[in-house]
Amino acid sequence: MNVQQTIESKLAAALSPDHLEVINESDQHNVPANSETHFKVVIVAGDFEDQRKVARHQAVYGLLAQELAGPVHALALHTYTLGEWTERHAEAPLSPPCLGGSKSES
Amino acid sequence: MDIIDTIKEQIEGNPIILYMKGSPNQPQCGFSARTSQALMACGERFAYIDVLSNPDIRTNLPTYANWPTFPQLWVAGELIGGCDIVVEMYESGELQLLVKEAAAQVPVD
């Protein structure tokens, strides 16, 4: 299983989401081709009802702690309840362009 | 001083503090750029720490905050979130209110 599939299966198993998109955006960043370092996750789940955004993100980060400590460098997270997702017309924001910051990492 | 004490002092001593990659004028990461732009647009003074030039903070803050990535915005001693949350709050107008309220708590000397 590659990193993308691992993220998908962990989130699907833990949160039973109504909607889940895991998008590999690594090719927009300053990393070698076919990397799995930058991801965007759009997740719509009932568990997020009555949870502030910080708590939702912390829950997702907790589930993916292993990936974040390892290969994953950036994780854009868009967490919604079904109501919020409908209000947004099922559209998540675009991720920002890379500015090369990971260059300074060894 | 212990690095965690330093971090605590920064968070408690600054009502609005942004941990980011680079500086608001020269951000080194798209997520940090977008977050600092939203914060600057609120029109209040804020502190920032460049984690690329503070590797100790970069290593230790994620555990303390239970938040693995940068940027991180802290207001009134509380973690507000990273880029996605800050931008969403800016678009809804929530960030402006939060930041203005925090800035108003600072005694004018």
Side-chain angles (χ1 to χ4, degrees):
Chain A
M1 216 173 357
N2 63 22
V3 177
Q4 185 166 358
Q5 290 161 337
T6 307
I7 294 174
E8 277 167 1
S9 71
K10 282 191 177 176
L11 295 180
L15 297 168
S16 316
D18 298 300
H19 176 81
L20 174 64
E21 281 171 75
V22 178
I23 304 150
N24 184 351
E25 297 189 324
S26 307
D27 61 356
Q28 298 168 21
H29 294 271
N30 188 24
V31 290
N34 305 315
S35 290
E36 288 194 297
T37 51
H38 294 67
F39 287 93
K40 171 174 168 175
V41 171
V42 182
I43 184 162
V44 180
D47 281 21
F48 295 148
E49 296 285 351
D50 303 321
Q51 247 186 348
R52 291 178 56 206
K53 282 278 159 85
V54 176
R56 297 178 190 180
H57 285 221
Q58 281 170 329
V60 173
Y61 287 144
L63 294 168
L64 303 177
Q66 233 177 322
E67 287 67 36
L68 282 158
V72 176
H73 172 82
L75 189 65
L77 266 186
H78 303 284
T79 54
Y80 307 108
T81 62
L82 205 50
E84 291 165 349
W85 183 239
T86 312
E87 227 169 83
R88 295 191 61 94
H89 309 292
E91 255 180 59
L94 295 175
S95 297
C98 178
L99 297 176
S102 49
K103 254 191 298 200
S104 54
E105 283 166 356
S106 51
Chain B
M1 191 159 58
D2 183 60
I3 189 68
I4 295 298
D5 290 334
T6 307
I7 290 170
K8 279 186 193 162
E9 208 174 84
Q10 290 168 346
I11 289 170
E12 282 161 17
N14 294 285
I16 307 164
I17 181 165
L18 177 66
Y19 291 88
M20 64 180 292
K21 293 182 174 176
S23 67
N25 290 326
Q26 284 198 304
Q28 299 291 311
C29 154
F31 296 94
S32 287
R34 200 177 267 187
T35 307
S36 59
Q37 276 161 10
L39 195 51
M40 283 191 284
C42 294
E44 298 293 342
R45 287 183 57 177
F46 63 93
Y48 78 90
I49 305 279
D50 175 6
V51 297
L52 293 177
S53 47
N54 290 278
D56 277 4
I57 292 177
R58 187 180 180 187
T59 310
N60 289 283
L61 180 55
T63 316
Y64 175 73
N66 187 23
W67 192 269
T69 54
F70 294 98
Q72 293 185 13
L73 175 64
W74 292 73
V75 175
E78 199 185 333
L79 176 64
I80 302 306
C83 175
D84 303 320
I85 292 178
V86 171
V87 170
E88 261 173 47
M89 287 175 72
Y90 177 72
E91 284 166 358
S92 71
E94 212 180 325
L95 185 71
Q96 293 86 324
L97 291 175
L98 180 78
V99 158
K100 290 219 182 318
E101 195 181 316
Q105 304 292 320
V106 186
V108 181
D109 49 24

